């Protein structure tokens, strides 16, 4: 896919304007809502993202390279920001759900640091790793502060005529969800539109699908991430690490009265070498569950170093899932070590009130992984320590 530099994407006029559930639980609304009409002005919107990426690219003197990797359904750019020149690739994305915004801020902070710092740690990271960030994958949903993208089933059928008589996908939103009325502007949960077959072409017999079957790459957002992933595979041989930054419902640490600040996970599909995962057996040679567990342990340890505070209230996400339609499930089957980040609440719960704390939680966790991969220490961690991370339980 042809990519355009951010400098070419932003015309002079645009620059001037910029200056002047268990499984079902993935779609449930988080509670409690603290007040009505909470403000989200402290988060980054699409126009501010463009400005900040431009500033980071300029101030880095070439260390950070920003490109448009593709377009959303409504024509907004899906930007990638790349820093480092090492042979191990870390791909990280945020806002696949447009009302899950803390990861975007965290990634911009990390890019600013890695693009400007001359510390020994930052230099080592740039030498050992190539980090590719997609800070706002679902920009259309982000602009509406909602989970899904903006796309109708009819638009999908126009792009894929072979689906003319197919049923709409199970993850197609046409009703009210989390306070948003999709009947006026339907859309898809893009995080169910991935397929471990990176060359998959939609077939009518695979629709409408369900949560335990692969997705279809019918949305331009998932197609763009897939293409970024494939291009990195072609360039480097494989993508070492994939991180996906999300928000979740409210939970307690099992056996305590402590609120979960963030849940994490390495487990999205059954092991292809197991009886349960036999349907994925073609990916068995690539699957690296122990490495994914090591990455999660590195994340967990980095936050535990914060001492007795909310930053240490980290739990596992639900385990033993079968979600091949997620980016995490698909890329895990393609050989990447994967980590899910799920901070508590969404923007409609408390707006920007806990932004600083949650952004710092994500930053610390991402940097814990980046440092561990860069210095090689993550590969020496005991993957079984993953099983010692406490579980989460719903607030009752």
């Amino acid at each position: 896919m042809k990519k355009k530099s951010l400098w070419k994407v932003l015309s002079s006029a645009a620059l001037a304007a910029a200056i002047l559930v268990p499984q079902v639980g993935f779609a449930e609304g988080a509670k409690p809502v603290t007040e009505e009409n909470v403000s989200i002005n402290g988060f980054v919107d699409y126009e501010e993202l463009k400005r900040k990426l431009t500033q980071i690219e300029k101030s880095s003197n070439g260390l950070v390279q920003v490109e448009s990797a593709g377009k959303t359904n409504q024509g907004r750019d899906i930007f990638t920001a790349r820093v480092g020149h090492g042979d191990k690739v870390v791909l990280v994305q945020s806002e696949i759900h447009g009302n899950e915004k803390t990861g975007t801020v965290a990634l911009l902070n990390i890019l600013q640091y890695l693009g400007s710092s001359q510390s020994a740690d930052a230099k080592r990271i740039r030498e050992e790793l190539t980090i590719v960030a997609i800070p706002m994958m679902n920009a259309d949903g982000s602009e509406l502060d909602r989970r899904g993208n903006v796309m109708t089933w009819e638009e999908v059928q126009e792009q894929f005529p072979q689906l003319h008589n197919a049923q709409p996908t199970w993850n197609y939103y046409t009703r009210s969800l989390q306070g948003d009325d999709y009947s006026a502007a339907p859309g898809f949960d893009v995080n169910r539109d991935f397929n471990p077959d990176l060359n998959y072409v939609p077939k009518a017999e695979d629709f409408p699908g369900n949560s335990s079957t692969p997705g279809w790459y019918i949305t331009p957002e998932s197609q763009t991430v897939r293409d970024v992933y494939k291009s990195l595979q072609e360039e480097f041989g494989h993508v070492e690490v994939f991180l996906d930054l999300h928000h979740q419902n409210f939970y307690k640490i099992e056996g305590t009265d402590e609120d979960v600040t963030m849940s994490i996970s390495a487990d999205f599909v059954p092991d292809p070498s197991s009886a349960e995962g036999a349907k994925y057996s073609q990916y068995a040679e690539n699957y690296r569950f122990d490495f994914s567990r090591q990455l999660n342990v590195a994340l967990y340890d980095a936050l535990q170093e914060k001492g007795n505070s909310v930053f240490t209230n980290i739990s596992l996400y639900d385990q033993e899932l079968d979600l091949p339609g997620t980016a995490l499930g698909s890329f895990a089957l393609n050989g990447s070590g994967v980590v899910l980040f799920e901070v508590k609440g969404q923007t409609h719960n408390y707006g920007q009130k806990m932004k600083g704390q949650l952004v710092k939680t994500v930053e610390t966790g991402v940097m814990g992984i980046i440092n561990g991969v860069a210095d090689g220490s993550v590969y020496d961690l005991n993957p079984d320590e993953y099983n010692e991370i406490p579980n989460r339980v719903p607030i009752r």
Side-chain angles (χ1 to χ4, degrees):
M1 178 186 354
K2 185 177 180 181
K3 299 180 181 179
K4 300 178 181 178
S5 112
L6 181 58
W7 290 102
K8 294 178 181 178
V9 170
L10 293 176
S11 66
S12 57
L15 277 171
I19 294 170
L20 296 175
V21 267
Q23 264 174 222
V24 177
F26 276 79
E28 67 189 9
K31 300 176 182 180
V33 176
T34 55
E35 61 184 75
E36 293 183 1
N37 301 318
V38 292
S39 173
I40 61 168
N41 291 335
F43 288 105
V44 174
D45 64 15
Y46 176 70
E47 292 300 323
E48 186 178 3
L49 176 76
K50 292 194 291 186
R51 292 196 298 270
K52 286 185 177 293
L53 287 175
T54 301
Q55 293 162 1
I56 290 170
E57 187 175 39
K58 286 182 64 177
S59 64
S60 76
N61 294 317
L63 293 179
V64 177
Q65 299 173 322
V66 178
E67 296 178 332
S68 173
K71 300 278 189 180
T72 65
N73 190 52
Q74 292 190 317
R76 295 181 174 91
D77 288 293
I78 302 173
F79 293 111
T80 61
R82 176 167 169 162
V83 61
H85 51 270
D87 58 5
K88 292 178 181 175
V89 180
V90 177
L91 175 62
V92 53
Q93 72 175 11
S94 181
E95 280 200 79
I96 195 169
H97 298 137
N99 59 347
E100 300 178 355
K101 300 178 178 293
T102 55
T104 301
V105 182
L107 286 181
L108 291 173
N109 291 345
I110 289 170
L111 289 167
Q112 181 67 53
Y113 163 68
L114 292 177
S116 60
S117 175
Q118 295 304 313
S119 69
D121 286 345
K123 288 180 178 178
R124 184 191 70 246
I125 290 168
R126 293 194 295 263
E127 289 170 1
E128 297 294 330
L129 305 182
T130 296
I131 298 168
V132 179
I134 305 174
M136 188 180 287
M137 187 266 224
N138 178 10
D140 295 349
S142 181
E143 286 296 281
L144 295 174
D145 188 34
R146 75 180 200 179
R147 182 181 183 86
N149 75 342
V150 182
M151 188 176 193
T152 65
W153 178 243
E154 289 71 26
E155 287 176 302
V156 171
Q157 291 176 312
E158 288 174 8
Q159 183 179 356
F160 300 103
Q162 68 269 33
L163 304 182
H164 178 69
N165 292 319
Q167 298 181 50
T169 64
W170 70 273
N171 62 324
Y172 181 46
Y173 295 160
T174 58
R175 58 183 176 83
S176 292
L177 181 71
Q178 294 181 354
D180 296 306
D181 184 7
Y182 286 86
S183 64
F188 296 85
D189 181 348
V190 180
N191 195 37
R192 291 298 187 277
D193 192 31
F194 288 77
N195 192 306
D197 178 357
L198 302 179
N199 298 310
Y200 173 85
V201 176
K203 299 188 288 287
E205 60 264 31
D206 293 336
F207 290 78
N210 59 63
S211 186
S212 295
T213 57
W216 318 268
Y217 294 122
I218 55 173
T219 63
E221 294 86 1
S222 67
Q223 292 166 14
T224 296
V225 176
R226 183 267 316 271
D227 291 346
V228 169
Y229 188 90
K230 287 178 64 176
S231 70
L232 292 171
Q233 282 185 320
E234 293 167 5
E235 182 178 357
F236 292 91
H238 75 286
V239 176
E240 183 76 349
V241 176
F242 175 69
L243 312 179
D244 209 355
L245 312 182
H246 289 257
H247 291 217
Q248 67 175 354
N249 207 320
F250 291 87
Y251 294 88
K252 295 286 187 183
I253 300 287
E254 187 176 35
T256 77
D257 195 40
E258 298 291 337
D259 293 333
V260 171
T261 300
M262 183 168 71
S263 295
I264 62 178
S265 187
D267 191 2
F268 308 100
V269 290
D271 189 327
S273 298
S274 69
E276 296 80 9
K279 60 184 175 180
Y280 306 124
S281 60
Q282 69 191 90
Y283 303 101
E285 188 174 326
N286 298 326
Y287 190 64
R288 304 167 69 195
F289 183 54
D290 276 353
F291 179 48
S292 293
R293 293 198 298 164
Q294 288 172 314
L295 294 169
N296 277 260
V297 171
L299 184 170
Y300 184 77
D301 288 350
L303 284 160
Q304 297 313 300
E305 290 176 5
K306 290 286 186 181
N308 187 21
S309 68
V310 294
F311 296 110
T312 63
N313 292 343
I314 308 303
S315 78
L316 287 180
Y317 196 81
D318 297 339
Q319 300 294 284
E320 299 182 2
L321 300 175
D322 189 1
L323 301 172
T326 61
L328 288 154
S330 288
F331 295 160
L333 289 170
N334 276 276
S336 297
V338 296
V339 182
L340 170 69
F341 289 63
E342 291 265 3
V343 298
K344 64 180 181 181
Q346 282 141 348
T347 50
H348 67 279
N349 299 117
Y350 39 64
Q352 65 199 37
K353 285 187 174 181
M354 299 187 73
K355 171 191 164 189
Q357 176 195 112
L358 298 178
V359 167
K360 191 63 177 177
T361 301
V362 175
E363 274 186 56
T364 302
V366 171
M367 288 305 299
I369 291 170
I370 285 174
N371 280 306
V373 177
D375 67 17
S377 61
V378 71
Y379 302 96
D380 296 325
L381 294 173
N382 180 0
D384 288 336
E385 291 183 8
Y386 173 85
N387 303 325
E388 299 173 10
I389 299 172
N391 293 312
R392 64 178 196 171
V393 295
I395 294 176
R396 302 189 184 282

